[in-house]
Amino acid sequence: MTTDNMHQAWFEWLLQENWRYFGTATLKDEVTRSAAEKRFLRFITEAEKVLGAGFSCVYVTEGGNASKRPHVHFLIGRVPYSPDVRRQLQRIWKAFGGISHIVRFENAKREAGIHYILKTVRSGKSDQVNLV
């Protein structure tokens, strides 16, 4: 499967979900990509306490090489949006040593947001799309 085909397949599948949050989680310290993913999974475990069971999350990790700190782009769905929950998620990530930008996923920008999450799939730099 070509990277364009893989990108398109993920895009069509992700369009089916009702995403509520769009986020980028960056680490302040220099860590490996693997360490960043492990920290993000711990974040998701803590986030479940706020979001409740049944939420969905897709994420892609970028960076982790000499030029970029690792960071994670993610979408969260199957839960209602709440500014209070958004702030709680940001506090959780900060406790893990990071900086986050988490916003309400705008349906008007739905396709652009999903394409952004999948940009490394199209470029061939990553085929690692993770589902929680």
Side-chain angles (χ1 to χ4, degrees), residues 20-28 40 43 57-60 70-76 81-83 85-95 97-106 109 113 116-117 119:
R20 299 295 188 197
Y21 298 86
F22 176 93
T24 300
T26 306
L27 292 159
K28 291 180 183 177
F40 186 76
F43 162 76
C57 177
V58 61
Y59 69 94
V60 176
H71 57 282
V72 179
H73 297 295
F74 62 93
L75 300 172
I76 294 175
Y81 175 80
S82 161
V85 168
R86 181 186 60 80
R87 286 188 289 276
Q88 286 179 292
L89 294 174
Q90 289 174 316
R91 281 193 294 273
I92 293 168
W93 184 250
K94 185 176 182 179
I99 302 166
S100 63
H101 179 73
I102 303 171
V103 297
R104 180 180 208 147
F105 186 79
E106 296 182 41
K109 298 178 182 178
Y116 189 81
I117 291 288
K119 69 183 180 205

Side-chain angles (χ1 to χ4, degrees), residues 11-24:
F11 175 78
E12 289 173 9
W13 192 77
L14 293 174
L15 269 178
Q16 297 173 41
E17 183 65 65
N18 195 7
W19 303 110
R20 299 295 188 197
Y21 298 86
F22 176 93
T24 300

